[in-house]
Amino acid sequence: MRKRILIVGGGYVGLYTALRLQRKLRGPLKRGEVEITVVDPQGYMTYQPFLPEAAAGNLEPRHVIVPLRRVLRHCKIINGHVTSIEHARKSATVEIAAGEAWPVDYDLLVLAVGSVSRTLPIPGLAEHGIGFKTIEESIQLRNQVLGLLDRAASTRDPEECRRCLTFVFVGGGFAGVEALAELQDMAQDYLKWLPALNARPRWVLVEATDRILPEVGPELGVYTVEQLRQQEIEVLLNTRLNSAVGGRIELSDGKVFEAATLVWTAGVKPHPLINATDLPKDDKGRLKATVNLTVEGHPDAFTAGDNAAVPDLTTEGAYTAPNAQHAVRQARCLADNVLATLRGHELRPYKHAYVGSVASLGLYRGVAQLYGVKVRGLPAWFIHRTYHLTRLPTLNRKARVLGDWTFALFFRRQFVALGSMRDPYREFDIATGRRAQPSAADTRARASS
Ligand SMILES: Cc1cc2nc3c(=O)[nH]c(=O)nc-3n(C[C@H](O)[C@H](O)[C@H](O)COP(=O)(O)OP(=O)(O)OC[C@H]3O[C@@H](n4cnc5c(N)ncnc54)[C@H](O)[C@@H]3O)c2cc1C
């Protein structure tokens, strides 16, 4: 009888699992003995470590995503949200659009929906903040930063100028530090083209603990703080965001100021879909995984990545960290265990000792800790780029990214703020009279929202 494998989520774990299964099950897939279905609301996998470079315009955004239909030719792709899973009946509900939802039945389940931003009930955060996990957010931030620099150079109101030029990032992990450093680097470059601007942009990193980038260790964390401060970035440690109502930032150290941009990168939590399943979760909302990457008590359900609590066999009592390094390796092990289940073989446990981390701090600057060796500056930045290039799925994407970097050696990056992307119907609505010409107040609200 045909075995139906359902993969929920086409990110790191989902894509790498599907690619491996597609390769190893070529014959059974052709003969119709196996069917692999991948469900993801987006038609692509996002290579998240390159999002900061995409935001800064060093990489074309389309080059850091991998189209699922193109690389998973022997799998069935459904673009929709899985809204619930009843594993007791081996059935998932997929919502394609409002009002259209249907069940997808399966024999083996791979649940890999990753994580979402971990937010706090801070007044004004939901209205004024933006996350940094998706390609859409990175494109929006690029447009917003360039648009606000343009506006600051045009306004005659010094308060509005200051507001436009104030960029606040909350959370000193990978995403926050890299996004801030890359965008600040881009803004510095753009200032050369804004001679009319006689104020300096203000970049603020707010971190609740006493260190940033814990992934690279305390010594490189301190170095990173020094580097960022040298780049005119205010790094506020042991500080929390208390309020952002109306774009007015209030911090726990008493500072109060207006900022048009608030980026929230203060950690992640498991995707809420995990709660809409009948599978076992831990107190952090993660699926309870076994060392073989099956879900506890369910040999026909597999999980890995950011949404799973996977025991770390290299450190007693610990769980693997939510990062790409584990996600990619777990996907390989998970796919092999799916194959072993189909063939009635023994499953193998997942074991990987963390190699270290690399982070970029803008063009030609970085930090890296690999196998305990600490690297900083240009060599670390070079390692960062080389490592991620080798990890990027498919030769096609690798070639495109390499092409972008090569072009950037000879041509300056482009500084065009395509802010109207958020409202592409505007011009035609004005032309047809459906909308009045927007006032400056409307434009301001849009750019800072
Ligand atoms: C800006 C940034 C930089 C990073 N840099 C690094 C780095 O340098 N090194 C490192 O090791 N890690 C890094 N990470 C972390 C790394 O990207 C994650 O750990 C990794 O993506 C986790 O893989 P995953 O498969 O669990 O989740 P994801 O890759 O997030 O995939 C989840 C997938 O599930 C899909 N999905 C969501 N909801 C549903 C639904 N209801 N139904 C179906 N599908 C759904 C999503 O669309 C997505 O495609 C970074 C993360 C970010 C945000």
Side-chain angles (χ1 to χ4, degrees), residues 8-14 39-42 44 48-49 51-52 80-82 112-115 132-133 174-175 178 271 273 304-307 322-325 327 358 388:
V8 183
Y12 269 83
V13 173
V39 185
D40 197 298
Q42 293 160 336
Y44 49 82
Q48 289 173 337
L51 286 183
H81 289 89
V82 170
V113 279
S115 53
F132 196 76
K133 268 191 72 66
F174 262 118
E178 289 195 317
H271 194 287
L273 170 64
D306 285 11
N307 67 191
N323 59 46
Q325 197 180 123
V358 287
H388 285 301

Side-chain angles (χ1 to χ4, degrees), residues 179-200:
L180 167 59
E182 292 283 356
L183 283 163
Q184 192 263 359
D185 194 73
M186 174 191 76
Q188 282 301 108
D189 253 11
Y190 190 36
L191 290 183
K192 293 172 201 147
W193 305 98
L194 300 171
L197 186 64
N198 47 26
R200 301 290 296 168

Side-chain angles (χ1 to χ4, degrees), residues 11 46 87 99 115 308 334 342 368 387:
T46 305
H87 189 64
S115 53
L334 191 158
L342 289 174
Y387 170 75

Side-chain angles (χ1 to χ4, degrees), residues 1 31 74 92 98 100 107 125 128-130 142 162 169 209 226 233 248 270 283 311 321 326 354 379 386:
M1 205 179 78
R31 293 192 293 275
H74 304 290
E100 188 195 347
D107 300 297
L125 174 63
H128 291 277
I130 180 170
R142 173 177 168 73
R162 248 194 315 277
F169 286 65
T209 68
E226 285 164 11
I233 294 168
R248 189 179 150 90
D283 53 358
H326 281 299
Y354 196 56
T386 316

